[in-house]
Amino acid sequence: MSTTTANPAPAAAKAPRVETPFRRFVSEFCESKLALGGLIVFAFIALIAILAPLLAPQNPYDLAQLDIMDGRLPPGSEAGAGFTYWLGTDDQGRDMLSGIMYGLRISLMVGAGSAIIACAVGVTLGLVAAYGGGRTDTLIMRLVDLQLSFPSILAALMILAFLGKGIMNVVLALVIVEWAYYARTIRGTALVERRREYIEAAHCLALPTHRVIFRHLLPNCLPPLIVVATMQVARAIALEATLSYLGLGVPITEPSLGLLISNGYEYMLSGKYWISFYPGIALLVTIVSINLVGDQLRDVLNPRLKK
Amino acid sequence: MGVYLLRRLFQSVLVMLAMSVIVFVGVFAIGDPVEILISPDADQMERERAIKALGLDLPLWMQYLSFLGNALRGDLGRSFVFNEPALKLILERMPATLELAFGAMFIALLIGLPLGLYAGLKPNSTGAKAVMAGSILGFSLPTFWVGLMLIMVFAVQLGWLPSTGRGTTVEILGMRWSFLSWDGLRHIAMPALNLALFKISLVIRLTRAGVRETMLMDYVKFARAKGLSPARVTYVHVFKNILIPVVTVVGLELGSTIAFSVVTESVFAWPGMGKLIIDSINVLDRPVIVAYLMIIVLMFITINLLVDLAYSALDPRVRLENK
């Protein structure tokens, strides 16, 4: 990682193919068309989620815009307000397309938010464990082992059973479930990296410890962390959807994709498939695209698979 | 081995104690214990009597000790809804959950191992790429949604399989099992496949990754150079070595399969522990929640202990480290 490419005349020779680690990484990532496609699809989904209030034909939270007479219309029906329900409506007469766009916002927000917090907590504790060693290390890693030996759904279930529903409670539950993955990953890498010469060199320069950890050690521990983070975001989104489906996640006023699917369950048995089907497709495409990216990242960033 | 076993047992007991403290704090300290443990229908007199009877006027550590004492005697409270001991309710539903979980594990190994081996041996073939893409799908598909779609296709549209319930059960050893009758098998097919989906992908990926990494090892190259037949190299040198991590993970996954059956059971109305806990959370039947958590924690610790022991028996390196 610390190799610097010899580039004698950077200004004059603007050679298109100078091998920097980043460029090599990009070109290796793009080797898989599937992963590249996943990245593009995910960017598109994220854009839809961010711009939902501008793009959606209807604000599904605004009761004034809903017409109960439009309830459970099949996809393609005309709305009273003049637009088409491309994906049908649910039992409240809510446009499914708009519902999905707004649901994506909540799902992505919860997924990304919990991943960021969990990453911050996990990385800090993991680095403390790796650097502190001794008792600190044992204590933190026992905690990680304990956390990892319980399946995520169970831990989340336990926390939500105590705390009750709500977006913040779901985020908290996801953070508690996920931090251990980050902690274990970063500790493992940090233990290897801290024995390297550049860390020794940094210490010889009498740099303060926190500077060595955050400016020298952490950047070099990033590759495996990126892989874990990608996968964990996908997991968080799926777990949130599952919890919401079970009725333990987000409140009914702020439906995520999981809750939309759950709402359609009773109508599915009578053949009104669209209320559950389309939110599920949206959820699926989101998770698949993230996982495709993560999968390729793992192959590219794993030195053991390098020929 | 004896010392190792003792040490692991001791650790397990410690973890169990720690978890009981967490559950206790979760239910008794974070929430309002009066609200949690006394039925909301109770009037003022009953409430006060119950507070005395439950010892809620005692200091917290004494409450914990009496909670622990009762738990050790198998008394985890009575369900508000069923008015039966919570422990009994859960144990009654355990066979259904175990049956579903084992069915799912069986399907996962049956499908996952051959596909993973194939994908690892021929990583560049079209078939292997299809398998891997499929496994990403298996990881990504939210279990509950796949369950709904299975119901929609096979129960609503095609009408081949029943959508919910357990079907006819046969009683053996005082417990009712579905897989022994044709009707029961038809009922368990969809939920078991649904629950297995994630594990199939996991087994495929573990096997493939193991095969790919093992194939690069010197001893495999050496075995090839010796002129051993490809089949012998594959099944003896490679497969045996990747079996250790796969078996460990599958063993560990048994616990998570049981936990995730919460979702599958809710979708297919499978009358197991998972459905009970979700129903209980939704109606705030807290004694059942507490009992479920304690039992599942005990179950996990036991599974982890067994897997560790099996691991140390299979892998000599672990044994040596702990000597």
Side-chain angles (χ1 to χ4, degrees):
Chain A
M1 284 309 282
S2 51
T3 49
T4 45
T5 29
N7 193 356
K14 251 205 161 185
R17 284 275 163 251
V18 183
E19 269 249 320
T20 64
F22 180 70
R23 276 200 193 149
R24 191 168 63 232
F25 165 72
V26 170
S27 78
E28 272 180 31
F29 181 84
C30 295
E31 265 175 28
S32 163
K33 294 279 172 294
L34 212 58
L36 195 62
L39 192 63
I40 294 170
V41 170
F42 180 70
F44 183 65
I45 288 174
L47 208 65
I48 290 182
I50 293 166
L51 298 178
L54 300 175
L55 295 174
Q58 186 189 59
N59 180 357
Y61 304 147
D62 183 5
L63 292 175
Q65 290 188 28
L66 304 183
D67 186 354
I68 197 89
M69 298 301 287
D70 281 355
R72 300 194 290 278
L73 290 178
S77 308
E78 279 297 320
F83 58 91
T84 312
Y85 294 127
W86 289 114
L87 301 181
T89 60
D90 69 0
D91 52 338
Q92 305 288 322
R94 207 177 274 142
D95 174 38
M96 286 314 294
L97 183 63
S98 311
I100 289 171
M101 285 176 169
Y102 277 81
L104 268 175
R105 273 167 91 87
I106 297 184
S107 292
L108 287 184
M109 210 170 65
V110 171
S114 63
I116 290 169
I117 304 174
C119 187
V121 174
V123 166
T124 312
L125 285 175
L127 285 176
V128 166
Y131 237 81
R135 278 227 183 111
T136 333
D137 187 28
T138 317
L139 183 71
I140 294 177
M141 291 327 283
R142 281 297 103 171
L143 215 58
V144 167
D145 286 345
L146 186 64
Q147 180 74 61
L148 290 181
S149 68
F150 286 92
S152 48
I153 183 104
L154 194 70
L157 211 68
M158 205 160 154
I159 295 157
L160 290 173
F162 295 151
L163 299 180
K165 286 187 193 187
I167 288 193
M168 285 333 282
N169 288 350
V170 173
V171 172
L172 181 67
L174 290 176
V175 169
I176 294 177
V177 164
E178 288 186 348
W179 72 273
Y181 291 91
Y182 296 98
R184 190 165 69 170
T185 310
I186 196 88
R187 173 184 174 266
T189 326
L191 279 182
V192 177
E193 289 292 326
R194 68 173 291 194
R195 293 204 199 93
R196 295 281 178 86
E197 287 86 351
Y198 68 88
I199 296 292
E200 213 170 299
H203 276 304
C204 289
L205 290 174
L207 296 176
T209 315
H210 64 89
R211 194 185 154 91
V212 176
I213 291 181
F214 288 104
R215 299 293 290 276
H216 295 254
L217 187 62
L218 186 56
N220 286 293
C221 297
L222 279 182
L225 196 67
I226 293 171
V227 176
V228 172
T230 323
M231 297 300 196
Q232 290 302 318
V233 170
R235 275 179 51 124
I237 292 175
L239 193 57
E240 182 276 326
T242 306
L243 291 169
S244 295
Y245 171 78
L246 293 173
L248 307 172
V250 298
I252 208 133
T253 46
E254 289 164 294
S256 67
L257 294 174
L259 199 58
L260 289 176
I261 295 170
S262 164
N263 287 340
Y265 179 57
E266 49 186 312
Y267 302 108
M268 203 189 57
L269 293 177
S270 55
K272 298 189 174 64
Y273 68 92
W274 59 88
I275 307 177
S276 278
F277 183 73
Y278 292 117
I281 293 286
L283 183 62
L284 177 63
V285 172
T286 311
I287 300 173
V288 170
S289 62
I290 300 177
N291 276 345
L292 283 174
V293 172
D295 206 46
Q296 179 68 2
L297 282 179
R298 172 162 46 197
D299 279 359
V300 172
L301 296 174
N302 183 359
R304 284 177 83 175
L305 288 176
K306 289 273 158 64
K307 291 134 221 159
Chain B
M1 195 71 192
V3 180
Y4 178 61
L5 180 70
L6 269 180
R7 226 172 59 191
R8 284 293 283 111
L9 263 176
F10 179 66
Q11 279 175 4
S12 301
V13 172
L14 273 187
V15 172
M16 191 69 211
L17 273 176
M19 291 312 289
S20 77
V21 172
I22 293 175
V23 171
F24 175 79
V25 169
V27 174
F28 289 72
I30 294 178
D32 179 4
V34 179
E35 217 161 89
I36 289 170
L37 290 170
I38 301 167
S39 162
D41 305 330
D43 61 30
Q44 197 59 37
M45 285 288 285
E46 275 179 68
R47 278 175 100 87
E48 268 163 26
R49 207 165 345 114
I51 287 175
K52 263 264 163 15
L54 290 167
L56 293 178
D57 43 355
L58 299 174
L60 209 58
W61 64 272
M62 278 178 75
Q63 287 187 40
Y64 172 69
L65 284 185
S66 81
F67 164 77
L68 200 62
N70 286 339
L72 284 178
R73 283 196 301 274
D75 175 11
L76 289 163
R78 288 177 83 85
S79 160
F80 302 150
V81 178
F82 298 92
N83 201 21
E84 274 185 64
L87 193 64
K88 181 169 158 258
L89 273 176
I90 290 166
L91 291 180
E92 269 172 10
R93 284 162 177 74
M94 203 185 255
T97 297
L98 288 181
E99 184 179 20
L100 187 62
F102 278 111
M105 300 302 280
F106 178 71
I107 294 178
L109 283 178
L110 198 70
I111 300 179
L113 273 180
L115 286 181
L117 199 59
Y118 169 73
L121 288 175
K122 298 201 169 78
N124 292 320
S125 67
T126 324
K129 280 184 182 153
V131 168
M132 290 320 289
S135 84
I136 293 184
L137 213 59
F139 262 124
S140 310
L141 289 164
T143 315
F144 66 97
W145 188 73
V146 177
L148 290 180
M149 293 303 118
L150 283 174
I151 291 181
M152 196 178 87
V153 174
F154 291 105
V156 179
Q157 311 251 327
L158 297 172
W160 290 352
L161 292 168
S163 64
T164 52
R166 244 188 124 179
T168 319
T169 50
V170 177
E171 193 166 313
I172 289 184
L173 302 170
M175 284 178 277
R176 292 157 56 225
W177 304 96
S178 282
F179 70 98
L180 293 169
S181 72
W182 176 239
D183 184 49
L185 270 182
R186 273 164 46 89
H187 275 86
I188 200 176
M190 267 203 297
L193 180 67
N194 183 219
L195 190 56
L197 210 65
F198 192 84
K199 308 298 169 202
I200 295 175
S201 302
L202 188 73
V203 173
I204 288 179
R205 303 188 132 234
L206 276 174
T207 315
R208 170 184 176 264
V211 169
R212 279 191 73 186
E213 273 177 18
T214 318
M215 289 303 269
L216 298 176
M217 294 281 173
D218 286 341
Y219 68 83
V220 175
K221 284 182 193 153
F222 180 65
R224 282 228 202 94
K226 264 200 311 192
L228 296 181
S229 72
R232 196 179 155 78
V233 174
T234 306
Y235 292 107
V236 177
H237 292 84
V238 176
F239 198 61
K240 241 173 97 176
N241 278 292
I242 61 163
L243 220 51
I244 294 172
V246 172
V247 164
T248 317
V249 173
V250 166
L252 273 173
E253 288 298 309
L254 177 64
S256 103
T257 311
I258 291 173
F260 272 95
S261 71
V262 165
V263 181
T264 301
E265 286 177 14
S266 297
V267 174
F268 291 92
W270 185 262
M273 308 190 314
K275 183 155 170 33
L276 178 71
I277 178 75
I278 295 298
D279 293 345
S280 301
I281 291 178
N282 282 330
V283 298
L284 293 177
D285 194 354
R286 310 271 178 151
V288 179
I289 302 175
V290 172
Y292 175 85
L293 291 177
M294 294 312 289
I295 287 180
I296 204 107
V297 165
L298 182 66
M299 210 144 115
F300 264 91
I301 289 169
T302 316
I303 290 173
N304 285 349
L305 183 67
L306 290 180
V307 170
D308 272 9
L309 293 181
Y311 198 61
S312 77
L314 276 174
D315 190 341
R317 281 170 302 184
V318 180
R319 223 163 31 224
L320 289 176
E321 239 173 60
N322 284 294
K323 275 260 162 74

